[in-house]
Amino acid sequence: MQRAAQREDRAQQQTRGKRLSRVLVCAAAVPAVLITAACSSDSGDSKGKGADSGTQQSQSSSNAPSASASPTVQAAAYKKLPDACAALTKKTLGDLVPKGVSSAKKGSSNDPSRASCSWSSLDNNGVKGSQFRWLNVSLLRFDSDTARGSGDTQAHTYFAQQVKDAESVAGAQNTKETPLSGTGTEATAVRYDLKKKEGLFKQQTVVARVENAVVTLDYNGAGLAGEKTPDADDLTKAAEQALKEAVASVSSANGGSSSSGSASSAPASPSRSASKASPSESPAKSASSSASPSKSATKKS
């Protein structure tokens, strides 16, 4: 009986031991299942995130702005210049340089964007003295450029510098600047007196911009060897009329009508370019050498 009871106890103990082993095995298996499930879940999320990321990249690339267009600049209105020596009519030349209508001296530049011509006149009255006149027409055209700006902007810059230079001639006296209307896009007249050993010279510099071209007209007069000094108002009036004619010649050379120009916007800032033609030789050599402000005086810096 005792042994049977002992055997039964042992059997019960063995049964309990087996049950406990199975419980421990199952308990050990649970974390593995959980880990496997967690891994499976993470794997699905990462795939989903990857897909979402690819979709977002695709959307962002499709929404990215296209490359900006190349910068553009307004095209220049005038493509060529007239012959500077033909910019004024014979009648006008007869009024300004009566003894020098056929004395035209063309500028030496081969640049098609610039042109110049000068005339000189000496009305020699013997012992009574003589009347001297010198006239120069300079034309400069600017092409539009993405780096430097529109032709109009560059032309305005040059126009402003021409006016400034005319106001800054060394030795000039009684300098007077007057804005002009009805001549090109913008225009200004500068006049002054310049005393030389040959006499008192009355200088007129009139400058006009018409779109992308600039016209500069220099005109001076002097009474030499005792002759009466010319009236500055008369010289200025003649120079302004000649300027209108030269401006109209720019339009005509480009197939336009002979208009004195229309108003347009005016930018700013200075830049120096074309040099003025020197006057041609005249019977009075000393007077001729004094005619041009660029020769007769050094400009202030």
Side-chain angles (χ1 to χ4, degrees), residues 118 132 134-136 169 192 194 196 201 203 218-220 276-280 286-299:
S118 62
F132 177 78
W134 180 79
L135 171 67
N136 184 81
V169 173
Y192 54 85
L194 199 60
K196 306 297 293 181
F201 285 76
Q203 171 71 34
D218 288 297
Y219 182 50
N220 66 40
K276 297 172 185 174
S278 57
S280 60
S286 60
S288 179
S289 64
S290 301
S292 168
S294 60
K295 282 194 171 186
S296 61
T298 304
K299 293 180 180 177

Side-chain angles (χ1 to χ4, degrees), residues 92-102 120-123 133 219:
T92 298
L93 291 173
D95 292 338
L96 273 66
V97 284
K99 297 294 183 178
V101 174
S102 60
S120 61
S121 171
L122 184 68
D123 186 4
R133 299 289 185 274
Y219 182 50

Side-chain angles (χ1 to χ4, degrees), residues 124-161:
N124 194 340
N125 296 312
V127 295
K128 293 182 180 180
S130 56
Q131 284 290 333
F132 177 78
R133 299 289 185 274
W134 180 79
L135 171 67
N136 184 81
V137 175
S138 295
L139 309 171
L140 189 60
R141 181 182 62 82
F142 294 86
D143 285 318
S144 294
D145 184 271
T146 53
R148 292 174 295 181
S150 70
D152 284 23
T153 300
Q154 296 177 68
H156 171 78
T157 296
Y158 181 70
F159 164 83
Q161 187 63 45

Side-chain angles (χ1 to χ4, degrees), residues 164-176 190-197 199-203 290 292-301:
K164 183 179 179 181
D165 288 347
E167 295 173 325
S168 306
V169 173
Q173 299 175 346
N174 304 319
T175 302
K176 181 180 179 181
V190 179
R191 77 186 199 187
Y192 54 85
D193 299 338
L194 199 60
K195 192 172 184 180
K196 306 297 293 181
K197 63 180 180 180
L200 182 64
F201 285 76
K202 296 288 185 177
Q203 171 71 34
S290 301
S292 168
S294 60
K295 282 194 171 186
S296 61
T298 304
K299 293 180 180 177
K300 296 176 183 177
S301 56

Side-chain angles (χ1 to χ4, degrees), residues 46-247:
S46 65
K47 286 181 181 179
K49 289 178 181 178
D52 291 345
S53 176
T55 303
Q56 289 174 357
Q57 288 180 1
S58 175
Q59 290 176 347
S60 63
S61 62
S62 64
N63 293 333
S66 57
S68 58
S70 300
T72 58
V73 66
Q74 181 183 356
Y78 296 122
K79 303 299 182 183
K80 60 182 180 179
L81 294 174
D83 179 356
C85 291
L88 303 178
T89 64
K90 286 187 176 181
K91 181 183 183 305
T92 298
L93 291 173
D95 292 338
L96 273 66
V97 284
K99 297 294 183 178
V101 174
S102 60
S103 68
K105 183 178 179 180
K106 192 173 184 178
S108 59
S109 176
N110 293 320
D111 186 346
S113 66
R114 67 183 64 200
S116 63
C117 192
S118 62
W119 298 259
S120 61
S121 171
L122 184 68
D123 186 4
N124 194 340
N125 296 312
V127 295
K128 293 182 180 180
S130 56
Q131 284 290 333
F132 177 78
R133 299 289 185 274
W134 180 79
L135 171 67
N136 184 81
V137 175
S138 295
L139 309 171
L140 189 60
R141 181 182 62 82
F142 294 86
D143 285 318
S144 294
D145 184 271
T146 53
R148 292 174 295 181
S150 70
D152 284 23
T153 300
Q154 296 177 68
H156 171 78
T157 296
Y158 181 70
F159 164 83
Q161 187 63 45
Q162 288 289 83
V163 174
K164 183 179 179 181
D165 288 347
E167 295 173 325
S168 306
V169 173
Q173 299 175 346
N174 304 319
T175 302
K176 181 180 179 181
E177 177 191 342
T178 306
L180 303 177
S181 59
T183 305
T185 309
E186 53 186 331
T188 299
V190 179
R191 77 186 199 187
Y192 54 85
D193 299 338
L194 199 60
K195 192 172 184 180
K196 306 297 293 181
K197 63 180 180 180
E198 297 84 8
L200 182 64
F201 285 76
K202 296 288 185 177
Q203 171 71 34
Q204 279 52 232
T205 297
V206 285
V207 189
R209 175 176 75 87
V210 51
E211 305 291 353
N212 60 306
V214 177
V215 179
T216 304
L217 188 145
D218 288 297
Y219 182 50
N220 66 40
L224 307 179
E227 180 62 282
K228 183 181 178 181
T229 300
D231 184 76
D233 289 337
D234 291 342
L235 295 180
T236 300
K237 185 178 180 180
E240 290 174 4
Q241 187 58 43
L243 180 68
K244 289 184 179 182
E245 203 170 286
V247 165

Side-chain angles (χ1 to χ4, degrees), residues 7-21:
R7 280 197 298 271
E8 187 175 351
D9 289 338
R10 289 194 197 99
Q12 289 178 355
Q13 289 176 357
Q14 288 176 354
T15 301
R16 286 195 297 269
K18 288 180 181 179
R19 287 176 180 171
L20 180 61
S21 298

